[in-house]
Amino acid sequence: MLGAVNPCGFALLPAYLSLLVAGKSDTRGAVGRALTAAAGLTVGYVLVFGAFGLALAPLAGWLRPRLPWLTVALGVLLLVAGCWLLAGRRLPAPGWSARAPRLTRSWPSMALFGAAYALASLGCAIAPFLAIVVTSLQAGSTGQGLALFGAYALGMGLVVTVAALGVALLRDGLVARLRVAGALVPRLSGLVLVLAGGYVAWYGWYELRLAAGNRDALHDPVIQAAAQVQRALADALDRIGPAVLLAALATLLLAALLTKRAHRPTCGGGGGLDIGKRSSESV
């Protein structure tokens, strides 16, 4: 759970939520989009950690000094995407086919974002992963090591799923009540992306300055202020624990189910005319 808010990559959590809600939305698809995006991000994240821990650990000495450059590049890309949304444009839908369902298109893009999330987080979060999961696997305890790896994936996935569901339902509820919100949400998402991308790029530059022996970087006011926010998030997750997050997930899923039933069209009367109208329009 704490891996989702590690010091290196915690700013990517609001960036991920911004990408999730920036596109077009409908009430029926909110839960599906959130769950698919959370699953894709989690898979991408834990696959990178697993590959690094099991296969690339011998290359850690060569990779570690180059990771900050990747962090800077990722931050700049998010910054550009945020400016694009602030300009009133929409991000292109990734995927291999324009006819692919929206949920299918979001899976590979979120898996790639999860991999980028993991790469940006390696510098801060790989040490406990290596010490607990990989050490257990290398000691011959395959079953225990796989169980620990699964627990790590579930903890990360639980945090991002609860966040995704909460934001998706809040977004759709806001759009349903405020006509102007439909135009504002993408721009607000763009603003969050600009802030998150700017911080991620700045953090990569901070790491590069530290690696170059610049001791003044230790007193960077941006990093110090963000570190206080990150510690507060980590402490809150530590106090909450997985049981409360699971209860929150169940509550959000129940709320989504009740909302879907409340908006389900009824047969007969105006509902039947509306269905016929939609059918003729689709033809």
Side-chain angles (χ1 to χ4, degrees):
M1 287 168 53
L2 297 179
V5 292
N6 67 85
C8 299
F10 85 100
L12 290 174
L13 185 58
Y16 146 74
L17 296 174
S18 295
L19 290 172
L20 179 63
V21 303
K24 294 181 179 179
S25 178
D26 57 272
T27 304
R28 290 178 298 175
V31 175
R33 285 192 311 277
L35 294 178
T36 301
L41 181 127
T42 303
V43 168
Y45 186 95
V46 298
L47 283 181
V48 168
F49 267 68
F52 189 90
L54 297 176
L56 301 179
L59 300 177
W62 180 84
L63 285 173
R64 189 175 295 276
R66 291 164 174 80
L67 287 175
W69 287 110
L70 180 63
T71 303
V72 171
L74 177 61
V76 171
L77 286 175
L78 292 174
L79 188 63
V80 171
C83 291
W84 184 264
L85 289 173
L86 278 175
R89 301 176 181 270
R90 291 192 180 275
L91 295 175
W96 303 291
S97 170
R99 296 182 178 181
R102 182 179 300 175
L103 293 181
T104 304
R105 292 203 307 265
S106 71
W107 171 265
S109 62
M110 282 300 164
L112 287 174
F113 190 84
Y117 198 145
L119 289 171
S121 303
L122 282 174
C124 298
I126 193 62
F129 182 83
L130 292 175
I132 298 172
V133 178
V134 177
T135 300
S136 179
L137 286 170
Q138 291 175 344
S141 304
T142 305
Q144 183 180 3
L146 291 176
L148 290 172
F149 184 82
Y152 190 94
L154 288 174
M156 169 68 184
L158 183 59
V159 173
V160 298
T161 302
V162 169
L165 273 177
V167 170
L169 292 176
L170 177 65
R171 191 250 197 228
D172 285 339
L174 186 65
V175 170
R177 288 167 175 79
L178 299 176
R179 189 173 300 177
V180 71
L184 288 179
V185 166
R187 283 185 166 86
L188 290 175
S189 300
L191 178 60
V192 174
L193 273 181
V194 166
L195 295 175
Y199 175 76
V200 170
W202 187 261
Y203 194 93
W205 178 240
Y206 161 77
E207 289 183 314
L208 289 170
R209 285 183 290 159
L210 284 182
N214 185 350
R215 311 308 297 177
D216 292 337
L218 293 171
H219 306 291
D220 189 304
V222 175
I223 301 299
Q224 289 181 342
Q228 294 180 352
V229 177
Q230 184 272 330
R231 283 195 295 268
L233 287 173
D235 291 343
L237 279 178
D238 193 31
R239 289 193 301 269
I240 290 173
V244 175
L245 273 187
L246 283 171
L249 178 60
T251 302
L252 287 170
L253 289 173
L254 179 61
L257 179 61
L258 293 176
T259 302
K260 181 178 179 180
R261 287 185 175 180
H263 288 85
R264 182 175 297 170
T266 57
C267 296
L273 292 174
D274 185 53
I275 294 173
K277 181 181 178 181
R278 289 199 299 269
S279 300
S280 63
E281 288 175 349
S282 65
V283 172

